[in-house]
């Protein structure tokens, strides 16, 4: 209890009980005054009534002048007698009392016993007033008469009056010691105790609030303890009664008013009085008195349930224990109770500890500390409760922490640790919490710098280590004895929580989550400061434990200790036992932290290096297997990865036996021993387990470990690599392996490739993005699928609401019962959409392989030996790749989990492209072809699970892709098998909406690879394309296919007129569809979509009709976004096919073509658009001629032919220029048409006139004929002779369109010059770039000069070599003057199109002044299309050669894998070169349509490669022109893209508009370019 400065008292001198009694005895016998025997009551009364004898009464009263002499001795003598007997003997009658008012005698008489109680009470009250106002003498006589009022059995009125009189008596300032004793004897009688509150009030007045107990020393000190117990018992009774009353009031709902109870208040005042009286009268209390009071206080603390009782009792205990000497038994009891309070009552912990702290700072400090240590030490043998024991430990613990700041006595650490160790033998059900207290205490000692210093100096840590060991062992034993069903991890976590709760409930000044980890960590920190001996003892302690609660730091310390002292070295005795123990107790324990186990494994790995160096191989293998065998049951991914690292590191140099054991371990960890719950579904169910979620990654990780072993052995050991390949194949084949493990194995198996020399190599990535997208396995498509799920759910919900509303609306108002019943029915809830599953693979997804494969092909593992004259060496082996293909065939036939099946479908084609890999697998290839064709023909390939949202047509895309790749193996197939493949592709057009495009592309490849089979099926192809040409998403691909066939005459050499007409009909049907669709397509699409939704509403999942709009949106990205490309392409196809006809058959088709080129516009008028006009012009031009290449003759006339005159007329949609020599009539006629410019010469056969002709004024025979400037013929003569009359038709009013003579002016000359600059051919430029071995940067690629033979052969096949210098053709920017861009290039043209190639390898390099080859980049960087011959061994990306202009890259890569260290070299022989194949893929910039047949990689033979790539480049260039003309998005309508023919036509129309006849006649600008009727050459004009 805190005390103010004024209240602080000195600690009394410590004396024993015997010495105190002796002092009292001396005071009693040493007085010179001897007290007479007290007078009898009668005599006393007589004396009082006699004034002359008052002095005798004074003689009986002790004198105040000697308080420590005779008076004190007499009082003590009276106190020794029986109080009741003395009172009876000293009865004083109400005699004369001096000093009062006149009514004093009356009041005394009324106070006499003979009167009634009410009169006596009234007299007492009046006397109390008199005593306060008058100095009445002989007040003892007054009280002697009235003291009966406070006796037992008196009424409340009498008692109140009696105590009022008593208070007036004792309040006199001049009371003698005898009088004080006399009055106290009245209230200490048993009859006065019922009024304990009044008793205490009188006592406080009598003793001056406890400051003066003169006369009461012996009696008061001995009776305080009994009074305290009586007061406490009365308080308990009062509380019980009050509790019942409150409960009754609550039951009656009477408001309860909380007031302090009378007896409780009295108890608290009594406790305060005891503190005061002991404070100021310490010497008056004997040891027995203090012990009695402390016993009473302890009794209160033990019995009470009120917090304030304990607080006030602790305050009194604090005062008594710090002011008095306390005997050992009493002090022990006090400490036990205080420790009990400290432990059990957290809210009073600080108060109770404050009492103990005061004791430890007082004269009892040594005794108290000794007793506390004794309590702890002897607790197992004593009756001490565990709560008191834990409280004592708390006191000692906190005393240590506060030792320096509070100047507490130093605790002897040796005794403390010994006591703590002894108390651990305490038997209790809660001993685990006691151990926590002890462990926390000891750990705090270790972490306290002051105690650590003492511990290290004493060098005796036995007890400390034993305490920690005992706690850890007992805790581990309890864990093992707990629930056997719970896993170690669960038990540990539950134990941690209980430990934390225990610590939290016991100790709130330390923040400890796990005391066991803390203890271990602290001991480790202490061991670092120990000498070698004690460090060894500490490590041995760790080894004796079972490591159940070893933290990472402990294990790290232990492993470091092993490493530092080489305790696990094989030269040390019992090292293998220690290794086994570390593995069993640390590494194998899954409850250990991950980093701890990984660090332990690192230590064991370092130990293995020593073992391998000095021990026998068998022992090293045994050591390794102790570690590796944990792979089978390991459940921690991080630890498992560390185990894999160890296995991979030792496998490289392991013996064959150890290596096989490692493989068996991985196999056992991945492949189940027994079949799981997987049961192949019945035939009427999908053969996939849908909805798989792969929460356990360990099978996948173990498969990755096998892959790492394979990659490690690939270039070192062929037998081991082949064995690992077999294990991976087993994992992929086994139906009970987890799908993610099977897919992980397939990721390696499908990355196997063969280079040109048949050596096995593993590629880091696989190109199959488009196929993965078709199965929603890319991030973009997966996000779209999720969006479709959401939209489908919304639409289904809305549909259900609509149905529900419709149902409710149909209820009639007449039937109220039915209406109410129906209104309670909720609308039918559609089935929920299945939740999205977690896929086992995505493209590109995370890292495909656990580590990067080697760049170099394996020198020891081969795919085949065909065409290799060198036999296999002893270290080489052939990989059985045929087993992989057999597994694939099994998957395709029998099905598998969807994750496995989908992965095989997507990645199979990419591996089949690598033909050298399957060179010895021709039987399997043929079997695969048979399976694919059979499933395609019968539609028996497997359907995806319903929750994926995919359709069977999505699977068909992948199936047809594989079949497309198999085209490259056509030389191994029979003629009928090739025909069957073509028929499969034909059947895929239109049968499933998503496969038509891929099948058309496949047929494009068949045009080059299997032309014979295509010729047989050409009529079926045309028929199928006629049926589907109006499907917008495949129309462009059909037109591109027809354009390709038109350039391969071998394919249509057997065509009949009907076949040509079918091709033309396909084009015309598309044109009509395109024209008609501009206005009514949106409405028709709307109705079509609504009908589809209505159809699907009751027949499938809601996601299907959500996907309809999605599919339409995807199809629009191809052709609807580029209408002008399809429109222009259709006219190109008409042109190509008309020119491909035999000349004798062309006139038959002219009327059909002319009729279909015209169409009816929205006003019902017949119209021909510009593209139709130029096509008509082309038809007229080539209908009867294949010799349309002419050139002008600049010197056609000589001087003797006379002066030349030139005229130009507009004749129909052409410009006719006639230049005539006036003397000879020799004329050069230039016919400028939209599709061509034709030059011809005309000369009349002039002769002299006959002799009998009269002389002419003009003419040949006239005199002027011989003049130099004679002109006898004008161009008009030629015009009207062969083209049209210039006068007659106009005069006669003929409707025939008249030639319009153009004025000889500058505007006409400019127009003609502009016309002549527009080529009559569609000219394109295409870049060709060679990428050599290992090149990645643009500078390296552009710096190449020349290339390998197969590249040179390819270049030669692209076109004809052309000399640049002096060339007059359009060279597309190449220098024709100084050979700046080389001497030669390659060009190609037909009658409509021309291509100029910008070949960087044929351009010179100027490294000195153009180190970055900007001259080359200027050409190829401005080409829409670049052909990339990629021999680098790295994937090519558009970013490799950045350009703002280039939109498409046609990448050509050898089929055999090329690595930088082992580049691809083409076969030397011509036969081998022609048999080689190349991968062709068109890469486009983002946003540019991927319409090419090679948008997905195609495999093309070397013989067909140039023609195939040229066609790809031509189509891509046209598409690029259309794309750019439409603003980069293909928009702008059919007029956005203007071909050269249309540009020439527009010049002609502009001249007609300016110089043609206007409305109303006359020359001048004419409105309308289509006036009059076109004269047709076909009609004989």
């Amino acid at each position: 209890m805190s005390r103010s400065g004024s209240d602080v008292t000195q600690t009394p001198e410590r004396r024993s009980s015997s010495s105190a009694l002796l002092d009292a005895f001396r005071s009693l016998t040493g007085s010179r005054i001897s007290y007479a025997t007290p007078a009898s009551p009668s005599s006393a009364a007589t004396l009082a009534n006699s004034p002359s004898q008052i002095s005798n009464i004074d003689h009986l009263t002790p004198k105040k002048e000697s308080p420590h002499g005779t008076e004190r001795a007499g009082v003590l003598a009276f106190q020794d007698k029986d109080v009741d007997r003395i009172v009876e003997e000293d009865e004083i009658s109400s005699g004369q009392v001096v000093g009062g008012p006149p009514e004093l005698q009356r009041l005394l008489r009324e106070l006499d016993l003979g009167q009634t109680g009410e009169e006596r009470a009234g007299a007492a009250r009046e006397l109390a007033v008199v005593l306060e106002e008058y100095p009445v003498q002989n007040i003892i006589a007054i009280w002697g008469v009235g003291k009966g009022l406070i006796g037992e059995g008196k009424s409340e009125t009498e008692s109140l009056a009696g105590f009022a009189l008593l208070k007036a008596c004792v309040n006199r300032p001049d009371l003698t010691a005898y009088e004080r004793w006399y009055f106290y004897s009245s209230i200490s009688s048993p009859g006065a105790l019922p009024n304990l509150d009044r008793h205490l009030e009188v006592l406080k007045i009598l003793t001056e609030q406890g400051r003066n107990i003169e006369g009461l020393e012996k009696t008061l000190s001995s009776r305080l303890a009994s009074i305290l117990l009586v007061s406490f018992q009365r308080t308990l009774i009062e509380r019980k009664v009050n509790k019942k009353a409150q409960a009754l009031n609550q039951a009656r709902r009477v408001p309860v008013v909380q007031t302090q109870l009378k007896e409780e208040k009295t108890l608290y005042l009594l406790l305060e009085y005891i503190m005061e009286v002991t404070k100021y009268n310490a010497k008056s209390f004997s040891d027995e008195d203090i012990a009695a009071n402390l016993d009473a206080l302890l009794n209160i603390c033990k019995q009470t349930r009120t917090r304030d009782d304990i607080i006030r009792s602790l305050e009194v205990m604090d005062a008594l224990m710090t002011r008095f000497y306390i005997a050992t038994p009493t002090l022990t009891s006090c400490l036990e109770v205080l420790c009990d309070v400290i432990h059990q009552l957290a809210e009073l912990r600080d108060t109770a500890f404050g009492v103990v702290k005061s004791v430890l700072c007082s004269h009892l400090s040594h005794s108290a500390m000794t007793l506390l240590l004794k309590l702890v030490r002897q607790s197992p043998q004593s009756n001490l409760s565990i709560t008191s024991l834990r409280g004592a430990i708390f006191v000692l613990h906190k005393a240590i922490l506060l030792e320096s700041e509070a100047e507490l006595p130093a605790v002897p650490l040796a005794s403390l640790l010994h006591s703590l160790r002894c108390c651990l033998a305490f038997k209790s059900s809660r001993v685990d919490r006691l151990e926590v207290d002890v462990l926390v205490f000891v750990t705090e000692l270790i972490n306290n710098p002051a105690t650590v210093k003492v511990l290290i100096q004493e060098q005796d840590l036995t007890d400390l280590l034993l305490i920690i060991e005992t706690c850890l062992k007992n805790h581990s034993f309890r864990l093992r004895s707990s629930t056997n069903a719970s896993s170690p991890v669960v038990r540990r976590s539950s134990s941690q929580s209980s430990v934390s709760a225990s610590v939290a409930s016991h100790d709130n000044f330390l923040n400890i989550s796990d005391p066991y980890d803390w203890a271990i960590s602290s001991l480790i920190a202490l061991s670092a400061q120990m000498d070698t001996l004690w460090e060894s003892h500490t490590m041995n302690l760790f080894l004796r434990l079972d490591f159940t609660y070893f933290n990472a730091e402990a294990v790290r310390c232990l492993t470091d200790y092993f490493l530092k002292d080489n305790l696990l070295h094989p030269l040390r005795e019992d090292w293998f036992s220690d290794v086994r123990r570390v593995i069993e107790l640390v590494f194998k324990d899954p409850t250990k932290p991950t980093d701890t186990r990984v660090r332990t494994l690192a230590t064991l790995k370092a130990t293995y290096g020593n073992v391998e160096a000095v021990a026998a191989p068998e022992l090293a293998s045994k050591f390794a297997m102790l570690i590796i065998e944990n792979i089978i049951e390991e459940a921690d991914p991080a630890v498992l990865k560390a185990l894999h690292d160890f296995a991979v590191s030792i496998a490289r140099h392991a013996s064959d036996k150890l290596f096989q054991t490692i493989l068996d371990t991985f196999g056992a960890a991945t492949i189940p021993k027994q079949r799981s719950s997987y049961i192949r579904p019945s035939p009427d169910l999908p053969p996939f387990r849908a909805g798989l979620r792969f929460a356990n990654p360990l099978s996948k990780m173990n498969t990755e470990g096998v892959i790492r072993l394979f990659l490690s052995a690939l270039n070192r050991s062929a037998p081991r690599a082949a064995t690992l390949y077999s294990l991976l194949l087993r994992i992929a084949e086994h139906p009970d392996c987890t799908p993610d493990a099977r897919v992980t194995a397939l990721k390696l198996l499908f990355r196997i490739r063969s280079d040109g020399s048949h050596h096995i190599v593993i590629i880091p990535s696989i190109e199959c993005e488009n196929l993965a997208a078709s199965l929603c396995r890319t991030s973009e498509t997966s996000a779209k699928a999720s969006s479709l799920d959401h939209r489908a759910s919304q639409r289904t919900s809305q549909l259900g609401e609509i149905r529900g509303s419709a149902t409710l609306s149909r209820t009639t108002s007449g039937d109220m019962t039915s209406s109410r019943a129906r209104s309670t029915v909720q609308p039918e809830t559609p089935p929920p959409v299945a939740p999205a599953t977690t896929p086992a693979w995505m493209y590109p997804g995370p890292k495909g392989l656990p580590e990067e494969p080697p760049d170099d092909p394996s020198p020891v593992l081969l795919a085949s030996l065909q065409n290799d004259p060198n036999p296999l060496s002893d270290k080489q082996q052939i990989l059985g790749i045929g087993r992989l293909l057999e597994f694939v065939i099994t998957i395709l036939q029998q099905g598998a989990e969807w994750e496995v099946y989908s992965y095989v479908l997507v990645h199979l084609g990419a591996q089949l492209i690598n033909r050298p890999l399957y060179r010895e697998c021709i039987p399997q290839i043929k079997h695969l072809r048979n399976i694919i064709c059979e499933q395609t023909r019968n539609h028996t390939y497997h359907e995806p699970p319903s929750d994926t949202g995919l359709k069977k047509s999505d699977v068909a895309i992948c199936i047809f892709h594989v079949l497309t790749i198999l085209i490259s193996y056509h030389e191994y197939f029979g003629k009928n098998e090739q025909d069957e493949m073509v028929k499969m592709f034909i059947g895929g057009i239109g049968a499933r909406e998503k496969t038509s495009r891929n099948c058309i592309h496949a047929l494009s490849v068949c045009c080059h690879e299997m032309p014979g089979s295509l010729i047989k099926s050409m009529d079926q192809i045309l028929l199928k394309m006629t049926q589907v040409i109006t499907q917008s998403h495949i129309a462009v691909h059909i037109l591109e296919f027809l354009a390709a066939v038109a350039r391969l005459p071998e394919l249509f050499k057997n065509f009949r007129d009907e076949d040509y007409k079918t091709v033309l009909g396909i084009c015309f049907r598309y044109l009509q569809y395109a024209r008609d669709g501009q206005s009514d397509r949106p409405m028709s699409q709307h109705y079509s979509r609504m009908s589809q939704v209505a159809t699907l509403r009751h027949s499938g999942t809601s996601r299907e009709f959500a996907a309809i709009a999605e599919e339409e949106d995807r199809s629009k990205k191809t052709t609807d976004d580029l209408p002008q490309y399809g429109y222009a392409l259709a006219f190109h196809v008409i042109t190509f096919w008309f020119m491909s006809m035999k000349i004798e058959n062309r006139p038959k088709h002219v009327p059909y073509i002319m009729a279909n080129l015209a169409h009816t516009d929205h006003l019902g008028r017949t119209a021909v658009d510009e593209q139709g006009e130029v096509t008509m012009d082309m038809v007229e031009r080539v209908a009867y001629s294949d010799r349309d290449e002419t050139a002008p003759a600049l010197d056609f006339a000589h001087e003797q032919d006379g002066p030349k005159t030139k005229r130009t007329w507009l004749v129909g949609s052409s410009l006719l220029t006639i230049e005539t020599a006036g003397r000879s009539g020799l004329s050069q006629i230039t016919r400028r048409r939209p599709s061509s410019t034709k030059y011809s010469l005309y000369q009349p056969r002039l002769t002299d006139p006959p002799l009998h002709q009269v002389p002419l004024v003009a003419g040949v025979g006239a005199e002027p004929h011989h003049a130099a400037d004679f002109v006898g013929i004008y161009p008009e003569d030629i015009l009207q002779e062969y083209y049209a009359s210039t006068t007659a038709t106009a005069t006669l009013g003929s409707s025939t369109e008249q030639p319009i003579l153009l004025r000889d002016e500058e505007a006409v000359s400019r127009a003609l010059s502009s016309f002549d600059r527009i080529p009559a051919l569609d000219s394109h430029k295409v870049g060709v770039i060679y990428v050599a071995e290992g090149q990645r940067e643009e500078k390296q690629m552009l710096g190449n000069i020349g290339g390998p033979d197969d590249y040179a052969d390819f270049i030669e096949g692209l076109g004809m070599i052309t000399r640049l210098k002096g060339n007059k053709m359009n060279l597309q920017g190449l220098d024709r003057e100084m050979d700046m861009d080389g001497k030669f290039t390659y060009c190609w043209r037909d009658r409509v199109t021309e291509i100029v190639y910008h070949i960087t390898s044929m351009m010179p390099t100027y490294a000195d002044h153009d180190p970055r080859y900007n001259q080359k980049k200027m050409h190829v960087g401005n080409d829409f299309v670049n052909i990339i011959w990629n021999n680098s061994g790295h994937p090519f990306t558009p970013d490799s050669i950045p350009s703002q202009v280039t939109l498409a890259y046609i990448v050509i890569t050898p089929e055999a894998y090329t690595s930088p260290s082992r580049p691809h070299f083409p076969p030397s022989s011509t036969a081998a070169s022609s048999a080689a194949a190349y991968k062709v893929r068109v890469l486009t910039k983002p946003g540019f349509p991927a319409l090419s047949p090679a948008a997905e990689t195609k495999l093309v033979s070397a013989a067909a490669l140039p023609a195939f790539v040229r066609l790809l480049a031509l189509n891509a260039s046209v598409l690029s022109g259309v794309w750019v003309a439409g603003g980069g998005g293909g928009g702008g309508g059919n007029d956005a893209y203007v071909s050269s023919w249309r540009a020439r036509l527009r010049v002609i129309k502009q001249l007609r508009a300016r110089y043609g006849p206007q409305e109303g006649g006359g020359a001048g600008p004419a409105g309308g370019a289509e006036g009059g009727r076109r004269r047709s050459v076909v009609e004989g004009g």
Side-chain angles (χ1 to χ4, degrees), residues 1225-1238:
L1226 181 60
S1227 301
Q1228 179 169 260
I1229 303 172
T1230 303
R1231 180 75 180 272
R1232 295 180 175 90
R1233 309 171 66 129
S1235 62
S1236 70
T1237 298
K1238 192 171 184 178

Side-chain angles (χ1 to χ4, degrees), residues 536-566:
S536 175
H537 288 328
T538 303
M539 296 302 131
N540 289 331
L541 181 151
F542 289 158
L543 290 175
R544 288 193 299 271
L545 299 174
D546 61 359
F547 300 170
T548 302
Y549 260 84
F550 263 34
N551 56 19
E553 188 177 2
V555 176
R556 181 170 59 252
C557 177
L558 187 62
T559 53
D560 290 347
Y561 177 73
F562 284 147
L563 282 177
K564 181 178 68 175
D565 293 342
N566 286 328

Side-chain angles (χ1 to χ4, degrees), residues 968-981:
S968 61
Y969 294 85
H970 64 88
E971 67 266 26
Y972 304 112
F973 304 146
K975 193 64 177 176
N976 294 334
E977 294 174 329
Q978 296 182 23
D979 297 344
E980 184 183 21
M981 294 175 67

Side-chain angles (χ1 to χ4, degrees), residues 939-1013:
H939 302 287
T940 55
Y941 41 83
H942 303 287
E943 188 169 358
S946 58
D947 64 343
T948 62
L950 300 174
K951 300 179 182 179
K952 209 168 184 179
S953 58
D954 297 309
V955 177
I957 294 175
C958 302
I959 294 291
F960 277 111
H961 174 73
V962 175
L963 190 60
T964 303
I965 300 302
L966 290 176
I967 296 174
S968 61
Y969 294 85
H970 64 88
E971 67 266 26
Y972 304 112
F973 304 146
K975 193 64 177 176
N976 294 334
E977 294 174 329
Q978 296 182 23
D979 297 344
E980 184 183 21
M981 294 175 67
V982 172
K983 291 179 181 179
M984 294 303 102
F985 292 128
I986 297 173
I989 301 176
R992 295 187 179 274
E993 56 183 352
K994 297 181 180 180
T995 61
S996 299
R997 170 182 169 176
N998 295 339
C999 290
I1000 294 172
H1001 292 170
L1003 290 175
S1004 299
V1005 178
C1006 292
C1007 291
H1008 300 273
E1009 301 294 342
M1010 299 188 300
S1013 298

Side-chain angles (χ1 to χ4, degrees), residues 1465-1533:
F1465 294 103
S1468 57
S1469 65
T1470 305
S1473 177
S1474 62
Y1478 297 85
K1479 295 183 289 185
V1480 180
R1481 186 182 182 189
V1482 177
L1483 303 177
T1484 58
K1485 284 230 177 147
F1488 186 75
L1491 304 180
S1492 172
E1496 193 71 32
T1497 303
K1498 298 296 186 294
L1499 194 61
V1500 183
S1501 63
L1505 184 64
F1508 182 73
V1509 172
R1510 181 174 58 243
L1511 182 60
L1512 295 180
L1514 182 59
N1515 290 339
S1517 183
V1518 174
L1519 177 57
S1520 301
V1522 172
W1523 177 264
V1524 173

Side-chain angles (χ1 to χ4, degrees), residues 554-597:
V555 176
R556 181 170 59 252
C557 177
L558 187 62
T559 53
D560 290 347
Y561 177 73
F562 284 147
L563 282 177
K564 181 178 68 175
D565 293 342
N566 286 328
L567 298 182
L568 300 180
H569 198 279
L571 297 179
R572 180 178 167 269
E573 187 178 0
D574 296 333
W575 70 274
F576 198 80
S577 299
D578 290 340
V579 167
R580 189 186 298 275
R581 181 172 176 79
V582 169
I583 293 176
E584 291 291 334
L585 299 180
V586 180
F587 184 72
K588 283 190 175 182
D589 187 356
T591 64
K592 294 295 180 295
T594 299
D595 57 343
T596 301
R597 301 177 65 202

Side-chain angles (χ1 to χ4, degrees), residues 102 195 343 368 562 575 627 659 686 1025 1135 1478 1486 1578:
N195 300 299
H343 176 73
F562 284 147
W575 70 274
I627 302 173
F659 183 81
M1025 291 183 174
T1135 300
Y1478 297 85
V1578 179

